[in-house]
Amino acid sequence: MISKLILGTVQLGLDYGINNTQGKPTAKEAHRILDCAYDAGIRSLDTAAAYGTSHEVLGSWFAQGGKKDMQVYTKLAPNVDLQKNTVSQFLSELNIDILAGLSFHRLADYKSCHAHRRDELLAIVNSPSVKKLGVSMHSNEELEFCGSREEITLAQLPYNAFDNA
């Protein structure tokens, strides 16, 4: 089954959302949400190191029998100092073997990493543990720039229709 929807998990790790009056769900509630999403056909999750305890919540769901065919896309923390163990750290936190995608939260972070830590960036791109490298983009100019970069194979264009109604 291929799903066109990706479930964002920021609210599983933080009190987040313009319409959120309940706060962050308990781990049990979060697991129920993930089970319901899976049962509804969603096969991809969006998360990030900056989403509070989201990695931990997802990791506990996978450890307790969460569906291993669920694809996980995560993002490096803003202003991250890219470390070689970042990917293995994320895989361990999430209790999965492969990241469907690893993205930078901002284009500026990608550019800084590309300029100063290119070898580490290329090691991630060539890693069997990461299927795609991406950037969260916030303008047409950023999308155009990233479109010309061979190693960037994933684009996230953050937009929540419910928050913009």
Side-chain angles (χ1 to χ4, degrees), residues 11 14-25 29 163:
Q11 193 169 331
L14 293 171
D15 291 335
Y16 176 84
I18 195 167
N19 295 318
N20 178 7
T21 60
Q22 302 296 314
K24 183 174 73 168
E29 291 168 327
D163 285 349

Side-chain angles (χ1 to χ4, degrees), residues 75-126:
K75 290 175 285 301
L76 299 159
N79 303 309
V80 71
D81 180 13
L82 189 63
Q83 299 171 355
K84 292 179 182 179
N85 69 344
T86 301
V87 172
S88 60
Q89 175 189 343
F90 287 173
L91 294 172
S92 176
E93 290 170 356
L94 292 161
N95 281 306
I96 58 175
D97 299 322
I98 296 173
L99 290 171
L102 178 66
S103 294
F104 289 89
H105 249 296
R106 303 175 316 160
L107 180 58
D109 293 328
Y110 164 78
K111 286 181 174 180
S112 175
C113 181
H114 189 271
H116 303 295
R117 303 182 82 101
R118 183 155 171 73
D119 290 343
E120 291 175 42
L121 181 62
L122 291 176
I124 289 173
V125 170
N126 296 316

